[in-house]
Each structure stands twice: as structure tokens, then as C-alpha cells.
Amino acid sequence: DDIDFSGVGMVATLFDVDQVEVLRGPQGTRYGANALGGLIKIKTREPQRDFDATTEASVGQDDAWSVGAVVGGPITGTDTGAFRIGVQQYESDGFRRNAFLHRDDTNGRVELTARARVHFEPSNRWQVDVSVLALDLDNGYDAFAIDNSRVTQSDHPGSDSQRSSGGSVDLRYHASAFDVVSITAYADSDIDYGFDGDWGNNAFWGVPYDFTTSIVRNRRTFTQDLRLESPALSTDRPLAWIAGAYVRRLDESNDQLDQGIYLSDVTFNPLKSDYWSMNYALYGQLDWALSAACEMSLGVRAETREAEYQDSNGEHYTPTDDMFGGSLTASYAFSATRRWYASLARGFKSGGFNIGAAITPDRRQYGPEYLWNLETGLKAMLAEGRLDADLTLFYMERRNEQVQTSFQFDPTDPLTFVFYTDNAAQGRNYGLEASLHWRATDRLSVDTSLGLLRSYYIDYMFGDRNLDGREQTNAPSYQYSVGVTWRHPFGWMARIGVSGRDAYYYSASNDERARVATLVNAKAGYEGERWSVYAWGQNVFDEDYSQLGFFFGDEPPDFPSKRYTQAGDPRQLGVTAQWRFR
């Protein structure tokens, strides 16, 4: 809903969400440094003039439950005003068992989501949309085990809690020749993050060995986007354009405390840091119709980022990044149901700072990355409208590539194993993405997607490791999904979905790889006019897969570097019921 939460996790809870938009490839014209390789937009349901109220309740394994309610409708005393309010509470024990504390809720999730939207048209020229949200996510963090299982031994379970609030105001004025659009947004997040660094306890290790970390973080973002928009292309309007200016202010503070004991050695490593950044951008886009079938589009964006970082260790940096990007796109409609397109785009991502008490000064900063992306694709509707298909081929050149790497500065201190961002010389990616939606019969539909990727580094040295030609991290060579949905005219339904991915490297600092994974989800139930009920299963075959991977030393007395992984969620079965009032 136009609120910038980049750099902050967890806020994209999906209750009362209308759609999730995945914008692929560089979005340099509209979004600049926030969208080097794409963008994910979460759009909640818009207010409607018709009264609508919905309640939803779910129960599942691992003591999971949720209750939510939504109400919306016209604003009394207005002809064009409408509102929508949604609230949901979700709780779960978190799929982990702490054997030392004899608890099963140390990785639990307690999440409250509240959203409200208002739409108002005070005249035929003005349109006002206001969105506000508040999230209270009080989650535990006890996800690491020496044997890579879901049974932990930690004596100081951590937290992964967050309280976020934000809002956006979208003002639109319809002038005779163009629209004036102003989008103002603000986000404020207080984050409390910490974990048991040794993943155990003194009895488990047999020696005094106890490390913990705690980070209190506040991040505030203000954005202002002001632009002029002409009407869209049409048969009597061969030109359309956008011209805009953008400002983003970011303020972040971090208060970190690492402390530990190994045998008789005591460590106490605090760090307080603050940084701010200002982004200024001018952008524009011109669309023109060369004929009824052929269209062209040219977009450009110039952006400057000024930043300042300082911390309690006396480090102080004031970098400035000047960035330029844009795109050139052509499309041709062979018919009303078949369209080809091709584009050349240059995206960019600004540099930044690695935050952490164990980060050394020479690794504190990293520089901006630039990406050239060439792609072409075909979208078609076939079989008399029963088959929608699209295919995209892409080729990317990454310059000064930002790479997530890891390093352990002290083999006897697990808290000195840190992830940080580094710059590689170059990277190259190419592949294809395809999707298909087939309405096989009036009752049966099939959705499929496929992504194939070849990625590798060029002239990248990490320490004494020559990674030239090696696959990039977090880049599986294939990903796919297949979903089959059946619906009966009387309201009965069933769906099964299968998704899978290839193995991939966890980090540039080692050669450990995530294994191939295939997950199956299923849902079946009844959908009526006023109520619905579903039985569902996530990971129904209980696939053992990893979410994160590490390679470092954590086990005394020799601290050998070993492969550790954070296990993904196991099988979960449950039931969801919905009631609608209109």
C-alpha cells in the first residue's frame, strides 16, 4: 500500500491481501535504488461502497490458531467515501522443542496485524486514498541445533520481535490534460532481535561456554513521490508520459550487545551505531504508439544518495552515490490475444553499511551495484481463451555485484561469525521464466510455472578463494510449481500444489549447498455464498529442507568448521473457516 518497508522483514502478513505483484527485472524508472532486480508489492483490499464483513478462524498443529475480522462499506454522510478495517491475531508454538528448558514455544510466533484504508472523492477532480497499519510481532527465536534438527539445547532463547506502524496518503488531482499525483508515506519499526550464540548450555558442552547477542534496532523511513501523468495510450492518443520527483529519508539506530564466556575468558562487545541517508531522484517515461499494433516506451531516472554513519567505536563515513538508470521497451501485438515484447534496462542499487559489533572497519562499507538486463518475451491466450501462457528469456550483466558473504573472525567466539555484504567484480545471469494457466474444463484448472537460471561470478576473489565461474549464492538452477484446482458447481473444491527447487550455494565464503527440495501443499473444502470451510496441509509429506546454511566453528574445544543448517517448517495440518456478511 505504497509504504516502503525495504530493509525490514516480517511486515508482509497476508490477511485481507488482495494481490501480490512481482515486478521482474530492474524497475529503475519508477522505483530506482529499491528495485535493482525486481520489486514485490503487497496490495490489500480496497474499500468498496457496498457493506462487507468477514470473519475467519483457523486451527492447526503445533498449537497454531488465528482469528481475524474485516469490516468495510460506505462512510456515512458522503456519496463517494468508503472504508475498510481488518484485524488478525495469529499464534503458534513455532515447530521447535527445547530439550534443555523442556519447552516447545521458545521459537513461537505471536503476531497481531491491524490495517485500515479510506477512499474518498470530494469532487470529480480529487481522489484521496489513505492507508494505515500497525503490527505487533512478538516472536521467539530458537531455531538452531548442533545436529541440524528441530530439537534445540539453548539456555538463552532469543527473540525476533517487531512493532511496526506506518501510513500512506495518495492524492490525485485530475486536470484537463494530465493528473497530478502525490504519494506520501511513513514507516517506523522497532525491532528486538537476539539469539543464543553457542546453541547450547554448560551442561551440554561440559565446560563454561555461553554466548548471547541482543540487538535493539529502530528504523524510520519517509518517502515523497510527486509526479505528473498524462492519460494512457489510446486509439486517438498516440503519446503518453510521466514526469516525477522522489525523495526518501531513512534514519536507523542499532544498539548491539555481544557477551560470552569460554572457560575463564569473558567477552563484552557493545556497539551503538546510527546512520541516515537521503535519496533524491528525477524520473520520466514516454510511451508512444507507432501503429495500432506496435508501441515503444523510454524511461530514465537519475538518483543521488547521501549517507552518514557513525558508531561508538569512532568509525565515521559520509559516502555519496550518483546513479543513473532507465529502460527502452518495444512491444508488438500480433493479434488481440498474442503480444511480443523486448526491453533493455539499466538498474542500480545504492551502497550501504554492514551493521554489527564483529564487523571490522575494512568491511563496514560496500559500494553501489549496476545491472544491465536484456529480455524478450511472448504472452498469449490460446485454445479459445482457456489457456494463458507467457515465456520470458533474459540476460543480465551485474557490475560491482553486491554479494552476501560470511566470515568468523575468532574461532573460539561464535558471535564473530557474521554475514556481511561485499562487492564482487562482475556477475552474469541468464535463463528463462514461463507460466501457464489452463482451464481444462469448467471444473478443473491447472497452473504451472518454471524458472531456469545460469549464474556465475566473473573475476571474483574472496580471500584466497578464486570464485571466477562459480555459481552465485542463493541461485538455484531451476524452480518450478504445479497446482491443480477442482471446483464443483455445488461448492465443493480441492487443490494440490507442488513446488520445487534445485540445490544452491549458501555463501561465497564456502562451498556448502542447500539440497534439492520438493514441497507439497493441499487444501479441500466447501465454498458457499455466506460461509466456507477448508481442511489444509502444508508440506504434507514432511519434506526435510533447510532455510539457511552456515559453515563455521561452534563446538568446543577444537571448534572445527562444520556445516550447520536451519531446518524449514515440518508438516502442518489444520482447518480454516470463513463467514461473510453482506
Side-chain angles (χ1 to χ4, degrees), residues 77-327:
T78 68
D79 295 329
T80 59
F83 75 96
R84 188 174 185 88
I85 300 173
V87 179
Q88 185 195 47
Q89 177 76 28
Y90 169 82
E91 296 191 15
S92 166
D93 280 351
F95 307 108
R96 300 293 189 275
R97 180 172 65 86
N98 188 305
F100 177 72
L101 298 177
H102 306 290
R103 292 171 53 188
D104 61 3
D105 63 348
T106 53
N107 197 55
R109 304 166 190 174
V110 180
E111 303 179 344
L112 174 65
T113 300
R115 298 190 183 97
R117 297 190 64 182
V118 174
H119 173 80
F120 187 57
E121 298 179 19
S123 70
N124 59 357
R125 289 188 177 272
W126 281 98
Q127 177 179 315
V128 182
D129 287 278
V130 179
S131 300
V132 295
L133 64 82
L135 297 98
D136 189 350
L137 312 176
D138 188 16
N139 299 337
Y141 196 44
D142 188 22
F144 304 114
I146 291 297
D147 60 356
N148 297 328
S149 70
R150 299 186 183 96
V151 179
T152 64
Q153 298 284 346
S154 54
D155 54 352
H156 300 293
S159 65
D160 193 11
S161 62
Q162 177 175 315
R163 287 153 298 283
S164 291
S165 58
S168 65
V169 179
D170 187 333
L171 300 176
R172 294 177 182 266
Y173 176 75
H174 304 288
S176 56
F178 54 83
D179 289 355
V180 182
V181 181
S182 171
I183 302 175
T184 308
Y186 178 78
D188 190 337
S189 295
D190 291 311
I191 302 167
D192 186 356
Y193 172 75
F195 58 91
D196 190 316
D198 61 279
W199 302 359
N201 57 82
N202 288 347
F204 179 78
W205 294 119
V207 295
Y209 179 50
D210 190 11
F211 286 82
T212 61
T213 188
S214 175
I215 303 172
V216 177
R217 178 185 178 205
N218 176 256
R219 184 180 175 98
R220 299 182 304 277
T221 305
F222 171 83
T223 59
Q224 174 63 57
D225 192 355
L226 181 64
R227 61 178 180 258
L228 306 179
E229 297 182 355
S230 75
L233 293 177
S234 63
T235 54
D236 58 349
R237 188 177 293 108
L239 286 176
W241 53 268
I242 294 175
Y246 172 85
V247 176
R248 177 179 186 256
R249 168 80 186 205
L250 168 65
D251 292 272
E252 179 168 321
S253 64
N254 288 269
D255 188 355
Q256 180 174 351
L257 175 60
D258 290 353
Q259 53 188 337
I261 299 174
Y262 178 53
L263 300 177
S264 59
D265 294 330
V266 178
T267 62
F268 184 78
N269 192 10
L271 181 72
K272 292 186 177 182
S273 64
D274 296 277
Y275 81 86
W276 62 265
S277 65
M278 287 290 297
N279 288 57
Y280 308 92
L282 295 175
Y283 64 91
Q285 182 171 312
L286 179 65
D287 303 330
W288 66 97
L290 302 179
S291 66
C294 185
E295 296 178 3
M296 297 285 292
S297 178
L298 173 65
V300 294
R301 185 181 183 104
E303 186 162 346
T304 294
R305 176 181 181 267
E306 300 174 350
E308 182 175 8
Y309 170 93
Q310 57 185 355
D311 63 33
S312 55
N313 286 343
E315 295 181 52
H316 185 217
Y317 308 99
T318 57
T320 298
D321 298 330
D322 295 318
M323 298 162 287
F324 181 82
S327 63

Side-chain angles (χ1 to χ4, degrees), residues 363 403-409 416-421 462 506-510 549-552:
R363 291 181 168 91
V403 182
Q404 187 184 64
T405 58
S406 59
F407 190 79
Q408 187 171 9
F409 297 93
T416 64
F417 175 78
V418 292
F419 284 97
Y420 61 93
T421 300
F462 180 79
Y506 289 122
S507 173
S509 59
N510 58 73
F550 318 92
F551 189 76
F552 74 112

Side-chain angles (χ1 to χ4, degrees), residues 24 388-394 430-437 447-453 476-483 498-502:
R24 301 183 299 191
D388 295 319
D390 68 79
L391 173 67
T392 300
L393 303 174
F394 63 88
Y430 58 88
L432 68 84
E433 292 181 332
S435 65
L436 181 147
H437 177 66
D447 296 278
T448 66
S449 68
L450 173 67
L452 302 178
L453 175 65
S477 60
Y478 68 82
Q479 297 182 83
Y480 69 89
S481 67
V482 180
V498 181
S499 62
R501 58 160 172 76
D502 191 17

